Amino acid sequence: MRLNIEVELDYWLGNGPADVLLQVEVAAMADQRLEHEALTVWSDTPIAAVAGEDGIGQRCWIRGNGQVRASYRATVAIGRTTVALDTLPATPVRLLGGALVPYLLPSRYCQSDRFEGFVRREFAGLEGGALAAALSDWVRGSLDYRWNASSGTTTALDTFASRAGVCRDYAHLLVALARAGEIPARCVSAYAPGVDPPDFHAVAELWLDGGWRLVDPTGMADPAEIARVSVGRDATDIAFMTIFGVAQMVNQLVVVTRA
């Protein structure tokens, strides 16, 4: 599977110069190979690349004043074997490596400790891949996808109460539930065809049977067609743009097509 990706960003910094952390480039990984990419940033100061979380992908520092524009183009070949989650065994947490421990613990937007009772009660007897599949199905079936149902401060607990949100909220809730069920889970920013409306997409990855497994709890993206950009504990780590100041969106375009 090959994907063509086109991104245009146009923002206005109205309160003077500000630093911007941009995270839009597809990560080069074993199961997704970059055939071509080009990032263009209109800036009066040099940009600087830094590594993403867990060494996956990269971020770019930009110094902006007034208009901030960026353009990204990429073609990525995805060669990923997917398996049914419910066939994967559980791994006792005591056998997990140290790098996985942060993905078992609560984070700012994924308060997994608040869901432990719910998971034990509602999914009694399930563990590992069987639990992961049941949690993903529950999130997909229990939430309504609505643009105006959440904001940048909405947490997994808020989404659980409102039963509505966007892809970010679906991912946060699945990650929190999985961690509550002793499955390491992380949030992933990504590109994928079929996302409606077209935009940056957020999905989850769950650690099962010795590897990270992509899951889209919205059901819009096929894990075999997802191109990762970045990973992290929650939206704090995977935001496509973090602005250390005040900005207003002028225009934003994300187009992902099958090549």
Side-chain angles (χ1 to χ4, degrees), residues 108-111 153-160 168-169 172:
R108 177 180 179 184
Y109 293 109
C110 300
Q111 312 102 310
T153 61
T154 300
T155 68
L157 201 60
D158 296 327
T159 301
F160 182 79
R168 171 188 187 271
D169 307 305
H172 277 162

Side-chain angles (χ1 to χ4, degrees), residues 21-63:
L21 191 58
L22 192 64
Q23 195 166 215
V24 299
E25 299 166 83
V26 172
M29 303 178 69
D31 59 356
Q32 50 185 57
R33 179 174 54 86
L34 280 159
E35 296 183 347
H36 164 77
E37 71 168 344
L39 173 65
T40 304
V41 177
W42 284 262
S43 174
D44 292 334
T45 58
I47 65 175
V50 294
E53 289 289 318
D54 290 353
I56 293 175
Q58 71 174 15
R59 300 158 165 156
C60 285
W61 279 111
I62 303 168
R63 180 68 173 172

Side-chain angles (χ1 to χ4, degrees), residues 142-208:
S142 300
L143 303 187
D144 292 327
Y145 196 96
R146 292 208 309 265
W147 271 99
N148 59 352
S150 63
S151 70
T153 61
T154 300
T155 68
L157 201 60
D158 296 327
T159 301
F160 182 79
S162 68
R163 300 299 169 94
V166 294
C167 60
R168 171 188 187 271
D169 307 305
Y170 279 68
H172 277 162
L173 184 53
L174 177 58
V175 164
L177 292 172
R179 292 176 186 170
E182 300 185 356
I183 300 171
R186 65 189 185 187
C187 292
V188 180
S189 64
Y191 298 111
V195 174
D196 184 25
D199 204 345
F200 297 103
H201 199 41
V203 298
E205 275 192 314
L206 311 184
W207 181 269
L208 294 163

